[in-house]
Amino acid sequence: MLDPELLIALVAAAVGAGFVDSIAGGGGLITVPVLMLAGLSPEQALATNKVQGSFGAATAAVSYARSGLVDLRAQLPAAALAFAAGVAGALLVSALPTQALRVVLPVVLIGIALFFALKPGLGDLDRAARLTPAVFGLTVVPAVGFYDGLIGPGAGAFYMMGFVTLAGYGILKATAHTKLLNFASNIGGLTAFALTGHPLWIVGLAMGAGQMLGALIGARLALRVGARVIKPLLVVTSTALALRLLWQML
């Protein structure tokens, strides 16, 4: 059992992670390393991160839905696919060459950061979609959901990239639509991890309270400021995640 001071520090980290995650994704950049520094094994850290992260994603999804930016009921079929893909990814962690994927990921994340930093005209206005909602839901959603269950960090950025480049959504609308899918694939991965007994539930639930607070603050800020805060934070978190993955390989 963690001592109270350490648990308070973990909850504080979860507040910051919930704030970042509700705007641009990448909250796992904060919570996974902190959990490992607290003495959890990598498996326990990833599983416990799924517990606490689910609260933040759910809170952000509800906040954006209340603002009228997203219809959560209309997203349920896509969320079901994300959930199933998250389960599949988590169950196949030991069977697939995830290390090879980790080599490619930093390059992809740097590409995402450069896209949002340098692409002109990216704002909160929608553009022409390249995929129909049905095709997007059957391809992009399960692909990112599978990654979320398999590895996890950065899934929010991948959902965002898909919504902006392929669904034609403005940045704020894309952020809003990302959250339910992120929640669903997170829960899918957690379901698989729960079967192995890895999550530390008390720690995860305590951090979940911090996630909810951070997500509420972050979603309200994003709703007020929109792309002006989402774009820079997405660039920073994508770059930070790429650098962290590169550091892990050294």
Side-chain angles (χ1 to χ4, degrees), residues 8-82:
I8 290 171
L10 290 172
V11 172
V15 174
F19 176 82
V20 171
D21 214 45
S22 66
I23 298 175
L29 278 171
I30 299 171
T31 50
V32 172
V34 167
L35 284 165
M36 292 180 68
L37 285 172
L40 277 67
S41 68
E43 293 81 7
Q44 285 179 320
L46 288 172
T48 305
N49 186 60
K50 292 291 185 190
V51 177
Q52 62 93 35
S54 299
F55 285 88
T59 301
V62 171
S63 296
Y64 287 120
R66 285 177 175 171
S67 73
L69 280 172
V70 59
D71 182 349
L72 296 185
R73 289 186 180 180
Q75 272 202 304
L76 288 178
L81 286 173

Side-chain angles (χ1 to χ4, degrees), residues 147-219:
Y147 165 80
D148 196 9
L150 189 68
I151 296 178
F158 292 131
Y159 279 126
M160 272 280 293
M161 188 74 172
F163 276 119
V164 170
T165 61
L166 299 176
Y169 288 6
I171 289 180
L172 180 57
K173 184 178 176 181
T175 299
H177 281 73
T178 290
K179 299 312 164 189
L180 179 62
L181 302 182
N182 215 162
F183 169 75
S185 54
N186 215 22
I187 289 292
L190 175 59
T191 300
F193 278 124
L195 297 176
T196 66
H198 285 308
L200 297 184
W201 292 102
I202 293 177
V203 174
L205 292 172
M207 292 178 70
Q211 273 273 351
M212 292 173 70
L213 176 60
L216 279 172
I217 298 170

Side-chain angles (χ1 to χ4, degrees), residues 60-143:
V62 171
S63 296
Y64 287 120
R66 285 177 175 171
S67 73
L69 280 172
V70 59
D71 182 349
L72 296 185
R73 289 186 180 180
Q75 272 202 304
L76 288 178
L81 286 173
F83 172 84
V87 173
L91 290 175
L92 292 174
V93 164
S94 60
L96 295 179
T98 56
Q99 190 56 40
L101 185 57
R102 290 180 189 273
V103 173
V104 177
L105 274 176
V107 178
V108 175
L109 287 163
I110 291 294
I112 290 175
L114 290 173
F115 174 82
F116 281 100
L118 303 177
K119 176 74 173 176
L122 285 182
D124 291 328
L125 297 178
D126 291 353
R127 295 169 306 283
R130 298 182 180 182
L131 297 179
T132 65
V135 173
F136 184 89
L138 291 171
T139 56
V140 177
V141 171

Side-chain angles (χ1 to χ4, degrees), residues 211-233:
Q211 273 273 351
M212 292 173 70
L213 176 60
L216 279 172
I217 298 170
R220 288 178 180 175
L221 178 62
L223 287 167
R224 276 204 311 267
V225 185
R228 285 181 293 159
V229 68
I230 297 172
K231 281 178 64 176
L233 199 52

